Amino acid sequence: VLSAQDVNTITAALPSAELEAPMASVFRRLSSGSHYASPQRTSIAMTHHTALFMPSRVEDIGTAINVVSVPTSADVPATLRHPIGPVFATRLLLSEPPSSLVAFGAGKQIEAHLYLHIHAFPSLKRCTIVSGSTNARLENLLSVLRQSHPLVSLEGLSLDDTTNVRSAVGRANVIFTATSSTQPLSPSEWVSPGTHLNLVGSFKPSVVEVDCGLISRSETIVVDSIEACAIEAGELIAASLSAGDMIEIGQLVEEWDCQDGPGEVQMRKGDVTVFKSVGIGLQDVAIARHVVSKAENLGIGTAVVDFHA
């Protein structure tokens, strides 16, 4: 049994590549269709929350279930596997190391994504967080990130500060969206050519964080799972994308491996690249097994004695 602090202690000492490797492995396995079981997410609506259940099994790694309780009209809570996939996608799809990043949202998702991206890309010098308002949550998030990353320029903006938000979006190399918005967060024309976008907020058809124009600018949309995104990714559903318009990131991993690192992957890119993730259970299996193995080796956490009925 590992507490949140235990997990933070373990992962803080790991190089980004060591966290990304398990993600690459399960993405590859998902696209090859071999030796795993990962049924679609089950959702149960309650008065003030939505409970999400994501079970999965990878034959030679283990079995896991991710259980998340999402408060109504709030950001999706963050788990460790959420930001690692986008970190890998950014490395895979962005042609040059990023220097500027814009994140929409001010919840735990954004905190986790920014922390791992800054850790993975020392080239990042400027990060802008755009929230619905400049409230205490945004200020607290900025304070935490400034303490942990003193060499990075961090600023917070309100979504209605149109002039400054447009300027920040226009100079960004990477854009994150991790909100429950049902309307596009910024117009497509604000986004500069060459930008990479990680869309991780929506997990149901009613949530739409970017407009159809931005989706059409990326000739091929990279996703974690075509099957899952076809029924859960609001932006892609709104843009009437078919399976042929998407490519799973696992299909690109083999090309990454063959090139022994970043490079021009074989896909139609358009003038922006987009990675859309609704989250897949295989990621939970991979990262949980990796962290538990590290904990066992380091003697961290509480061991539960096996018993038999």
Side-chain angles (χ1 to χ4, degrees), residues 31-204:
S31 295
S32 67
S34 62
H35 306 295
Y36 74 88
S38 187
Q40 289 297 320
R41 183 189 343 254
T42 297
S43 173
I44 298 177
M46 298 177 288
T47 305
H48 301 293
H49 297 78
T50 299
L52 306 175
F53 300 86
M54 291 164 278
S56 195
R57 174 169 176 77
V58 181
E59 186 172 297
D60 54 341
I61 300 177
T63 304
I65 181 167
N66 185 0
V67 182
V68 180
S69 185
V70 183
T72 304
S73 300
D75 291 335
V76 179
T79 61
L80 179 60
R81 61 92 159 151
H82 278 102
I84 301 175
V87 166
F88 180 66
T90 300
R91 193 181 305 283
L92 186 65
L93 297 173
L94 196 61
S95 58
E96 296 180 356
S99 61
S100 179
L101 182 152
V102 168
F104 286 89
K108 287 295 183 181
Q109 278 262 37
I110 289 298
E111 180 180 346
H113 281 281
L114 284 176
Y115 180 86
L116 281 182
H117 260 73
I118 294 171
H119 182 56
F121 299 104
S123 57
L124 277 173
K125 303 302 180 187
R126 185 185 186 99
C127 295
T128 302
I129 303 172
V130 182
S131 183
S133 63
T134 51
N135 53 25
R137 185 171 73 159
L138 175 59
E139 293 303 321
N140 289 338
L141 175 55
L142 288 168
S143 177
V144 168
L145 291 170
R146 284 167 179 156
Q147 289 180 28
S148 58
H149 305 289
L151 299 181
V152 178
S153 173
L154 288 146
E155 68 171 340
L157 296 174
S158 172
L159 191 59
D160 59 11
D161 185 358
T162 306
T163 299
N164 287 321
V165 172
R166 179 170 187 166
S167 176
V169 168
R171 64 174 176 261
N173 307 119
V174 180
I175 296 174
F176 277 103
T177 63
T179 74
S180 56
S181 177
T182 58
Q183 299 293 328
L185 296 164
S186 65
S188 171
E189 57 265 25
W190 290 7
V191 179
S192 297
T195 302
H196 173 67
L197 296 102
N198 290 309
L199 312 180
V200 301
S202 73
F203 60 94
K204 51 187 177 182

